[in-house]
Amino acid sequence: MALLDRTRNFGICAHIDAGKTTVSERILYYTGKTYKIGEVHEGTATMDFLQDEQERGITIQSAATTCLWTHNGTEYTLNLIDTPGHVDFTIEVERSLRVLDGAVAVFDGKEGVEAQSETVWRQADRYNVPRLCFINKMDKLGGDFYFSFNSIHERLGANAVAVQIPIGSGPTFEGVIDLLGMKAYYFLEEDMGKKVEEREIPAELLDLAKEWRQKLVEKAAELDDKLTEKFLMEEPISADEIRAAMRKGTIAQAVFPVFCGAALQNIGVQKIIDGIIDYLPNPTERPEIVGTDVRDKTKKLTRPHKSDAPFSGLVFKVVSDQHGDLTYCRVYSGTLEKGMRVLNTTRNKREIVSRIFEMHAKDRIPRERTDAGDIVALVGVKESITGDTLCDPDHPIVLERMDFPEPVISMSIEPATSADKEKLGNALTTIRREDPSFRSHFDEETGQTIIEGMGELHLDIITTKLRRDMKVGVNVGKPRVAYKEAIQGKAEARGTHKKQTGGRGQFGDCTITVEPYTKEQAEAEELDFEDQVAFVNKVVGGSIPKEYIPSVEDGCRATAKTGILAGFPLLGVKVTLIDGSYHDVDSSQIAFELAGILAMKEACRRAGLQLLEPIMKVVVTTPDEFLGPVVGDLNRRRGIIMDTTQRGNARIVTAEIPLSEMFGYVTSLRGMSQGRASNVMEPLTYRPVPPNIAKAILEPDKK
């Protein structure tokens, strides 16, 4: 068996608190990577190694590790990434899924599919990642495998197929029944569940197991023509035949095998490791990686998952370290050796890979070389950031970049002393390299630095990092909503910058049109849509010399960045340069940039400007008796109730609410429900602000 066939690159992802890190810790223990199980609730989890993660009991950044597992006498290499569940760190999940070949989606056995589970599932769909499902916490009071299994069908629309069913549930949960081999498995407590005992299925569960095995056989038969024939002829179908058909179906994302267990009680985790090898693809079973030609963006190129192909890899994470930046890279093709020169085609920069490390959370193991299918950390790569392509300089390719969400919340931040001023600039640059969902800029009017992120927790962790880890004294303001601006229609305007009073003057003149534009339109027309602005040059006959056209574009983009109404960035606009004029002596690049700014401001005003606000999807789980106050409060916050469902004696309310109304919501929800209701929220979209509220935002002094 070739080395690549024995490799699995997979991630563990789920809703917050479903037990992802606990599952990861068990995998490390059973594969012999750690000798003691780390626990999240004790702050000792290997994969949650940041101080903030240990104190808060949540995963903030994805951690990678490599471990070995022997299955049916063959040793396999597992590259595992544990991802966060909290919506503020959704970018960590996004970039991990981009480079993985498969994933294990973990669900809480009592709650089934939760709000963030849906988000993660959609992200995995977007990157076509095959998945296994693990229904965890079966030992929890109220744990219900069959309810959770049905919720995968109903809420995710996924073709889930059980390959195991539980023996008992809640406090009586003690093992799992394997439906392929029709055996019961118990995980012995004396060795932290390392010893697995195979027994016959308990008599009282035999009929249920047969019923579920029949469902499994039917699903497997649908995936393979030979099995369909056997099934129709009522011939016996072996466990190996079912496994092969299910593997084929999982890789094609036609089915999603479902396992169950209780990671905290050490039940069922070894079986999920076997399942990762049985059902998730090795790198060669994934489609060849697709990229574009450096010189011609319309020309598609591919790279095979082979070590003898030209080297190509994608940077999916950068971590600053006192010993130099660690650049995490997924190698898609070819071989990379220590000391090799590579080309970053995204930035057109050459880099030298001085060292290569195999990562185990925060520990590193040096390597001389790395091959296709590996996930490693590189040192010496200075210019590369998340989403950049590294490749063989003689065979350039640009791999598809990742999409990063727009920040929804901002906060002012100031250095505490003059000594902190320079340190703050450097620290923010470092954080921006590490975290693509974080932005910062200097506000000329107020003299403050504005930082932007995905939520209050995100900014809280960044300010903690500045103060504690980077030793920068900062004073922070209150969180504010990151509003945006948009145009309502199409308009044309001319911008002329003219200063011609003796000596060499300045002259720039351009005419542009602006119109609303979407990312989908940009993709269809193959236009660059950087920062939500597309620019098209339609000047004919040399009315503006070629060298001045980029200056007009710079002026238009700079205006979009700073906004026109109230300093908020402009979203979704297409700018078309249609005409202009120049002066042989007085025209310059700066004059045309200023002309572009004037034209852009005027065209957008004529097109009609509106203020947009971030709308959040909020899911509240509340006991029945508090439903009235909860819904009333959501309505008061300008919320639109989208759905209310019953789950046991609890109600799940889904609403769409402006972020500006949600500050301090957790405290108020606890107050109205005696601490029994909980909520999760995630960014949904941007929508126009109602006129009366827009007026208050744009004219704060005229109250």
Side-chain angles (χ1 to χ4, degrees):
M1 201 188 272
L3 191 66
L4 273 178
D5 297 345
R6 299 197 304 266
T7 300
R8 298 289 183 274
N9 293 316
F10 70 99
I12 296 194
C13 47
H15 182 93
I16 191 166
D17 275 347
K20 292 173 302 302
T21 303
T22 307
V23 172
S24 300
E25 293 299 323
R26 298 307 182 272
I27 291 174
L28 297 184
Y29 177 68
Y30 296 134
T31 56
K33 195 75 191 183
T34 54
Y35 300 102
K36 179 181 180 294
I37 292 180
E39 298 294 9
V40 176
H41 55 273
E42 291 171 4
T44 57
T46 311
M47 301 298 263
D48 285 353
F49 55 84
L50 296 181
Q51 192 175 334
D52 262 328
E53 293 179 314
Q54 292 170 354
E55 287 172 2
R56 297 169 194 253
I58 59 169
T59 304
I60 292 168
Q61 67 172 28
S62 50
T65 191
T66 300
C67 45
L68 301 171
W69 181 249
T70 302
H71 179 48
N72 294 339
T74 304
E75 192 173 64
Y76 291 82
T77 301
L78 306 178
N79 291 316
L80 156 67
I81 294 184
D82 174 31
T83 65
H86 200 286
V87 68
D88 283 20
F89 312 108
T90 187
I91 187 68
E92 286 288 335
V93 185
E94 184 92 15
R95 58 182 171 188
S96 301
L97 286 171
R98 171 68 176 81
V99 298
L100 292 170
D101 300 325
V104 177
V106 181
F107 301 96
D108 183 315
K110 184 184 176 194
E111 308 297 338
V113 173
E114 297 173 87
Q116 191 62 19
S117 321
E118 292 184 46
T119 308
V120 170
W121 196 267
R122 285 197 304 272
Q123 287 173 312
D125 279 342
R126 190 158 63 242
Y127 292 116
N128 295 317
V129 179
R131 274 145 282 170
L132 305 183
C133 304
F134 181 58
I135 296 175
N136 190 25
K137 301 195 176 183
M138 284 303 305
D139 58 322
K140 197 172 167 183
L141 199 62
D144 185 339
F145 173 81
Y146 305 100
F147 158 75
S148 299
F149 178 82
N150 288 333
S151 75
I152 297 171
H153 274 276
E154 288 159 16
R155 296 195 58 183
L156 301 176
N159 188 13
V161 181
V163 291
Q164 291 179 346
I165 58 170
I167 301 170
S169 68
T172 64
F173 177 64
E174 52 180 340
V176 298
I177 293 171
D178 172 32
L179 297 173
L180 278 86
M182 288 298 275
K183 293 286 181 191
Y185 289 95
Y186 296 84
F187 301 81
L188 304 184
E189 269 179 46
E190 66 261 25
D191 198 14
M192 307 294 281
K194 241 186 187 179
K195 282 200 178 75
V196 183
E197 201 173 272
E198 183 186 295
R199 299 183 205 159
E200 291 306 312
I201 295 171
E204 68 275 13
L205 292 175
L206 193 56
D207 287 344
L208 184 67
K210 282 177 179 171
E211 183 191 320
W212 278 83
R213 189 179 199 275
Q214 185 62 18
K215 290 180 188 174
L216 171 61
V217 172
E218 281 175 30
K219 289 286 187 188
E222 286 171 16
L223 299 165
D224 188 291
D225 293 343
K226 281 182 188 165
L227 292 194
T228 310
E229 215 172 290
K230 273 191 157 187
F231 182 72
L232 294 172
M233 301 303 288
E234 295 187 1
E235 291 175 26
I237 294 175
S238 72
D240 286 343
E241 286 174 315
I242 296 172
R243 197 174 287 112
M246 289 290 288
R247 177 179 181 77
K248 196 170 112 187
T250 307
I251 293 170
Q253 292 160 73
V255 292
F256 301 94
V258 180
F259 293 76
C260 60
L264 198 60
Q265 304 303 326
N266 311 310
I267 298 176
V269 178
Q270 289 99 314
K271 289 292 168 192
I272 193 90
I273 310 175
D274 289 342
I276 287 161
I277 287 160
D278 284 338
Y279 302 115
L280 291 183
N282 65 51
T284 64
E285 290 171 305
R286 297 284 282 148
E288 289 192 356
I289 188 74
V290 177
T292 53
D293 192 316
V294 177
R295 289 169 294 277
D296 178 4
K297 291 276 169 33
T298 59
K299 189 178 168 190
K300 295 272 186 272
L301 300 173
T302 60
R303 289 281 184 273
H305 300 284
K306 290 181 181 169
S307 297
D308 54 3
F311 166 70
S312 71
L314 187 80
V315 173
F316 68 97
K317 189 177 163 110
V318 178
V319 178
S320 293
D321 192 280
Q322 66 261 42
H323 309 300
D325 285 356
L326 279 178
T327 303
Y328 283 77
C329 177
R330 160 72 199 260
V331 182
Y332 282 106
S333 64
T335 302
L336 179 64
E337 293 184 356
K338 204 168 89 173
M340 242 170 84
R341 282 179 79 86
V342 293
L343 174 66
N344 177 335
T345 45
T346 318
R347 304 187 182 280
N348 196 21
K349 294 264 170 77
R350 286 180 182 256
E351 303 259 34
I352 292 181
V353 176
S354 54
R355 301 183 77 187
I356 300 170
F357 292 108
E358 179 186 297
M359 296 304 292
H360 172 48
K362 64 174 187 277
D363 301 323
R364 35 178 109 167
I365 300 150
R367 291 196 24 188
E368 291 300 310
R369 55 175 277 168
T370 181
D371 292 290
D374 285 343
I375 292 174
V376 289
L378 312 175
V379 172
V381 179
K382 295 185 172 62
E383 303 282 342
S384 303
I385 61 167
T386 299
D388 286 2
T389 301
L390 299 178
C391 65
D392 180 338
D394 298 330
H395 299 88
I397 184 172
V398 183
L399 303 178
E400 186 191 345
R401 285 184 69 80
M402 289 170 248
D403 289 328
F404 302 125
E406 286 291 317
V408 294
I409 192 167
S410 67
M411 192 160 76
S412 61
I413 186 165
E414 291 174 336
T417 66
S418 53
D420 289 319
K421 196 171 183 177
E422 194 180 325
K423 276 161 69 180
L424 177 63
N426 294 337
L428 291 177
T429 305
T430 300
I431 294 171
R432 270 202 310 274
R433 281 197 70 202
E434 286 189 358
D435 182 354
S437 61
F438 168 75
R439 315 259 170 96
S440 68
H441 66 271
F442 187 71
D443 188 329
E444 299 284 352
E445 284 181 29
T446 61
Q448 292 174 319
T449 298
I450 307 295
I451 60 173
E452 297 178 295
M454 299 308 297
E456 288 181 83
L457 178 64
H458 189 195
L459 294 185
D460 182 23
I461 278 163
I462 279 167
T463 49
T464 305
K465 187 173 186 171
L466 284 168
R467 288 175 178 146
R468 187 178 63 198
D469 303 342
M470 297 177 155
K471 308 286 186 281
V472 182
V474 287
N475 301 319
V476 296
K478 282 200 172 111
R480 297 181 305 198
V481 174
Y483 292 102
K484 307 286 181 202
E485 296 175 14
I487 56 171
Q488 291 171 287
K490 189 173 179 177
E492 183 182 309
R494 182 178 177 186
T496 308
H497 177 71
K498 201 172 176 180
K499 277 190 180 167
Q500 293 170 302
T501 48
R504 176 151 186 198
Q506 285 185 18
F507 181 84
D509 170 36
C510 64
T511 304
I512 63 167
T513 63
V514 294
E515 59 190 288
Y517 205 56
T518 63
K519 184 181 168 222
E520 289 70 33
Q521 286 172 297
E523 281 171 359
E525 295 178 26
E526 295 190 337
L527 288 179
D528 182 11
F529 198 47
E530 194 181 335
D531 293 329
Q532 295 260 327
V533 178
F535 184 87
V536 180
N537 170 29
K538 285 205 175 156
V539 168
V540 287
S543 55
I544 300 178
K546 274 201 178 96
E547 65 265 28
Y548 297 139
I549 285 163
S551 303
V552 176
E553 181 177 351
D554 290 346
C556 294
R557 286 189 181 279
T559 308
K561 222 171 227 174
T562 53
I564 296 147
L565 274 176
F568 301 117
L570 190 64
L571 286 191
V573 62
K574 180 184 183 181
V575 182
T576 309
L577 177 61
I578 54 172
D579 200 8
S581 62
Y582 71 103
H583 187 281
D584 283 338
V585 177
D586 294 345
S587 283
S588 64
Q589 287 175 336
I590 189 74
F592 270 97
E593 189 173 329
L594 293 166
I597 290 170
L598 295 169
M600 185 73 172
K601 284 184 175 173
E602 184 55 34
C604 290
R605 284 197 188 99
R606 287 180 186 175
L609 283 157
Q610 62 183 359
L611 203 59
L612 303 178
E613 62 182 344
I615 304 293
M616 310 301 281
K617 177 186 173 186
V618 181
V619 180
V620 183
T621 306
T622 173
D624 270 341
E625 64 259 42
F626 304 114
L627 182 66
V630 165
V631 169
D633 181 62
L634 292 175
N635 286 329
R636 270 196 302 281
R637 295 172 185 268
R638 293 197 282 136
I640 301 166
I641 309 294
M642 305 306 288
D643 186 32
T644 307
T645 53
Q646 184 90 33
R647 188 177 293 173
N649 58 358
R651 289 291 181 104
I652 292 157
V653 183
T654 305
E656 294 178 4
I657 309 178
L659 174 63
S660 57
E661 306 287 343
M662 293 302 290
F663 289 125
Y665 180 65
V666 175
T667 311
S668 115
L669 180 66
R670 281 187 192 137
M672 74 179 85
S673 67
Q674 297 169 13
R676 289 168 63 198
S678 64
N679 79 295
V680 288
M681 116 176 137
E682 62 179 272
L684 183 67
T685 184
Y686 271 87
R687 287 195 193 130
V689 179
N692 58 326
I693 293 166
K695 198 173 177 188
I697 295 164
L698 297 172
E699 302 171 10
D701 304 328
K702 297 183 184 176
K703 283 185 182 170

